[in-house]
């Protein structure tokens, strides 16, 4: 009986020692994917606005420049200016319509469906876009801030996040996508290299800065 109790005591002490060793052992380092997912999950989901700069180019030739301020974590709204070699337009994006007119003129605003605000990057669904990249063998580039995620996608892949954007990218064969996620879980930059079967590549870069409270956007006056 004494031997049995002694053996039981030894086993109990051994268990305590093993438990203590386990609790004191260093935690496994998080993978890059875990870091990105945790940042996205912890991001504030309240509506906010950001200064936007979007550049589309082919090689060294700039095709379009868009600057302005948009609302995020909410239906896409905002005010921007778009410029190409052919035109410069002021743009007002509301939940129902997109309004455009030549920059600096008092002319009548032209109305378009809200989907006309969609380009080649799902601006109002950036967290979902990053999750899509993570599901397509994304590479995570750590070591500097913000963390960069990159993956190769197709227009069909992107349709699962935003149908309008995916269809806009329809002529492309593949898209090499990159996104930068800051410590607060905000997507602060996106870059896309769009490849085509018989046309030169097109690069699109979206940069978001100067984060503030959401802005009020209403239908512009007729003139």
């Amino acid at each position: 009986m004494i031997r049995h109790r002694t053996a039981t005591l030894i086993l109990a002490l051994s268990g305590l020692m093993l438990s203590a060793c386990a609790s004191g052992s260093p935690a496994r380092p998080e993978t890059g994917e875990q870091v990105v997912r945790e940042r996205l999950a912890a991001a504030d989901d309240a509506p906010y606005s950001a200064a936007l700069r979007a550049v589309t180019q082919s090689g060294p030739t700039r095709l379009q420049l868009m600057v302005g301020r948009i609302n995020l974590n909410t239906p896409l709204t905002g005010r921007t200016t778009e410029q190409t070699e052919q035109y410069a337009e002021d743009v007002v994006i509301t939940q129902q319509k997109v309004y455009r007119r030549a920059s600096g003129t008092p002319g009548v605003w032209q109305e378009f469906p809200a989907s006309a605000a969609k380009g080649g990057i799902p601006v109002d669904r950036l967290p979902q876009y990053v999750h899509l990249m993570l599901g397509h063998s994304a590479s995570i580039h750590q070591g500097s801030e913000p963390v960069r995620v990159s993956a190769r996608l197709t227009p069909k892949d992107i349709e699962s996040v935003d149908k309008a954007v995916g269809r806009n990218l329809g002529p492309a064969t593949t898209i090499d996508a990159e996104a930068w996620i800051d410590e607060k879980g905000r997507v602060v930059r996106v870059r896309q290299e769009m490849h085509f079967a018989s046309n030169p590549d097109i690069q699109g870069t979206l940069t978001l800065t100067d984060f503030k409270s959401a802005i009020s956007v209403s239908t512009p006056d007729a003139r």
Side-chain angles (χ1 to χ4, degrees), residues 11 25 39 52 67 82 133 153 162-163 191:
L11 287 172
S25 61
R39 287 189 179 193
L52 170 148
V67 295
E82 296 181 14
M133 294 166 65
L153 305 171
D162 191 309
K163 287 186 178 180
R191 183 166 62 201

Side-chain angles (χ1 to χ4, degrees), residues 54 56 62-67 80-91 100 103:
T56 305
R62 191 173 75 186
L63 304 177
Q64 185 187 52
L65 170 65
M66 180 191 301
V67 295
T80 64
T81 299
E82 296 181 14
Q83 183 177 352
T84 70
E85 287 188 355
Q86 290 77 34
Y87 65 85
E89 288 185 333
D90 295 326
V91 183
R100 295 174 173 269
S103 294

